[in-house]
Amino acid sequence: MDWTQMLKAELRSGDGEISSGPLAGKPHLIMTSTGARTGEPREAILSFIRDGENYVIAGTASGAPKDPAWVRNVTANPGVKVEAQGRTFQARAQVVTDEAEYRRLWDAHVQSRPDFAAYPAKAGRKIPVITLEPIAGE
């Protein structure tokens, strides 16, 4: 089993917690989006922060120069499945475009994960911030 599959298994079996390695103790979720070109389900393991009922994720791609593919997926198909903190639910993904809201959420994400602060300069791009709003009744 590769590292990604092991992380997914640990998140799914441990109430959404990673207990060992470099990601231990840092909140992560599994988001399943629909491929923008393929229409196929695509899973991504992402760090998150909470903003009220919403989950907030950032398209850092670890500071790569291009947005991760899942950003294109959620822009084209905002309905996603989220596995986080021991629960699974449907959510609506929305790229944050309001500059003040973007700054507030990005700063909160960096406060939670200080290593993210260097990603915009490293990537040479504005890192997309996406909210995941649970769909009522889920």
Side-chain angles (χ1 to χ4, degrees), residues 1-7:
M1 181 182 302
D2 74 3
W3 188 69
T4 301
Q5 294 304 320
M6 288 176 19
L7 278 179

Side-chain angles (χ1 to χ4, degrees), residues 38-59:
T38 66
E40 296 293 320
R42 302 288 184 221
E43 291 183 340
I45 300 170
L46 304 164
S47 69
F48 70 89
I49 60 169
R50 295 295 302 267
D51 185 51
E53 293 297 313
N54 294 341
Y55 291 74
V56 181
I57 55 177

Side-chain angles (χ1 to χ4, degrees), residues 9-54:
E10 186 169 4
L11 283 167
R12 288 176 172 141
S13 67
D15 283 338
E17 298 289 328
I18 298 172
S19 61
S20 62
L23 301 179
K26 297 174 181 159
H28 283 79
L29 58 76
I30 301 170
M31 180 185 71
T32 304
S33 60
T34 301
R37 289 191 304 247
T38 66
E40 296 293 320
R42 302 288 184 221
E43 291 183 340
I45 300 170
L46 304 164
S47 69
F48 70 89
I49 60 169
R50 295 295 302 267
D51 185 51
E53 293 297 313
N54 294 341

